[in-house]
Amino acid sequence: MALIRIGFFSTVLGMCTSCDVILPQQTDADAPAREFPVMYLLHNLTKSHSTWQRMTCIERYALNHGVAVVMPDAQLSSYADMVHGGKFFTYIADELPGLMRSFFPLSSRREDTFICGASMGGYGALKIGLSRPEQYGAIGSLSSGYTSYRGYISRPDDRGITLQSLTFGETGLDEEDVETAEKARAIVRSGKNIPRIFITCGSSDPILLDNAREARDFFSSFEGNPFDFQYTEHPGSHNWSFWDAHICDFLRYAGLNPREHYC
């Protein structure tokens, strides 16, 4: 595997940004060129594009499952087009995949493309995946649902400003949650490009267990399970130990069969 740390200019953000990419390595120089399946892996609140690399064994897991992993930086955006900040939703949903395919041999096939994240990243994965169902074959959320956790982002800082107001404005978060749910309903009504959805959460998670269970009830309510929805709870809390232990659950759910069963 190759670990590539890349800096590039984003037209959508209007600035340079960074991304970590794990890329399968062809050892035979004479082998036919191939395009690799890819997982877009999103970080949690207060962290960055490098956190999955530093806090988990994701490179080893990617090698075992034969998948490229793209880890973008979304700052404190909640993967939204911020009212006062960058357009991180549009950047990751629309600009980033094309840029990554222009840089690296990544498949553009929907069935080879997945999006997943932890905490804020899981919320972002569901929001982006349900907004662009034609792009993703499977969506994974570790310790989150499709609604945002307000406890942290609604706290005012020493200037009296909340991250919620900077990101969503005064009422935008409620509207965004409703819109995401409606997008899921619209996908089912259309019967086209219905992504598979996987959610897992720690049974002792003090932060987002209620959000995850709300998503469980919502996606389970669709007759016939059109999203092939899978929800699990395991012993654990809201931390990197849990996410490291269960990211491979999503990789297997997405159909990426491991070479060895060590995670």
Side-chain angles (χ1 to χ4, degrees):
M1 301 294 285
L3 171 61
I4 303 162
R5 290 182 170 154
I6 179 174
F8 53 92
F9 184 80
S10 163
T11 302
V12 169
L13 297 177
M15 66 180 187
C16 288
T17 187
S18 299
C19 197
D20 277 4
V21 178
I22 299 169
L23 194 66
Q25 188 171 339
Q26 291 194 169
T27 56
D28 184 357
D30 296 324
R34 58 168 297 194
E35 294 180 337
F36 296 102
V38 57
M39 172 173 63
Y40 291 85
L41 187 58
L42 310 183
H43 64 79
N44 57 329
L45 190 69
T46 76
K47 299 302 188 286
S48 74
H49 63 286
S50 68
T51 309
W52 275 99
Q53 277 293 314
R54 292 185 286 114
M55 301 298 289
T56 75
C57 295
I58 187 60
E59 185 172 354
R60 185 158 56 92
Y61 304 153
L63 173 64
N64 192 31
H65 291 80
V67 63
V69 183
V70 174
M71 294 162 282
D73 193 357
Q75 301 182 14
L76 299 173
S77 68
S78 292
Y79 297 91
D81 284 348
M82 302 176 72
V83 173
H84 304 287
K87 296 170 65 177
F88 285 93
F89 172 86
T90 300
Y91 159 60
I92 292 175
D94 298 332
E95 184 182 28
L96 183 68
L99 283 173
M100 291 298 105
R101 288 194 296 268
S102 74
F103 296 152
F104 306 111
L106 305 179
S107 175
S108 61
R109 297 181 349 136
R110 178 178 180 270
E111 55 267 38
D112 290 338
T113 307
F114 319 106
I115 188 166
C116 185
S119 191
M120 182 185 82
Y123 164 76
L126 284 165
K127 179 165 58 177
I128 293 169
L130 289 168
S131 299
R132 302 291 184 270
E134 71 282 358
Q135 294 183 17
Y136 302 101
I139 303 167
S141 176
L142 311 184
S143 306
S144 187
Y146 69 92
T147 56
S148 178
Y149 173 67
R150 298 158 195 257
Y152 182 89
I153 66 173
S154 64
R155 299 175 191 168
D157 62 16
D158 56 3
R159 301 164 296 174
I161 300 172
T162 69
L163 187 56
Q164 181 174 334
S165 65
L166 289 175
T167 305
F168 300 102
E170 296 307 315
T171 62
L173 182 53
D174 293 327
E175 294 170 1
E176 190 135 334
D177 289 348
V178 170
E179 183 179 339
T180 301
E182 181 50 38
K183 286 177 178 175
R185 297 186 187 99
I187 291 169
V188 173
R189 287 196 297 269
S190 75
K192 299 177 181 178
N193 294 326
I194 302 178
R196 303 173 68 221
I197 296 177
F198 170 93
I199 297 176
T200 189
C201 196
S203 56
S204 301
D205 189 317
I207 300 175
L208 284 172
L209 181 58
D210 288 344
N211 295 62
R213 288 176 173 175
E214 177 189 21
R216 173 199 64 190
D217 295 343
F218 175 72
F219 289 110
S220 298
S221 69
F222 290 96
E223 185 177 354
N225 194 16
F227 293 102
D228 190 24
F229 178 61
Q230 180 176 313
Y231 177 88
T232 58
E233 287 181 17
H234 300 277
S237 188
H238 196 84
N239 53 41
W240 284 100
S241 294
F242 183 84
W243 303 328
D244 185 44
H246 295 288
I247 182 61
C248 288
D249 295 347
F250 172 68
L251 291 172
R252 288 190 291 269
Y253 171 84
L256 296 164
N257 297 319
R259 300 173 188 174
E260 302 177 41
H261 291 275
Y262 58 74
C263 71

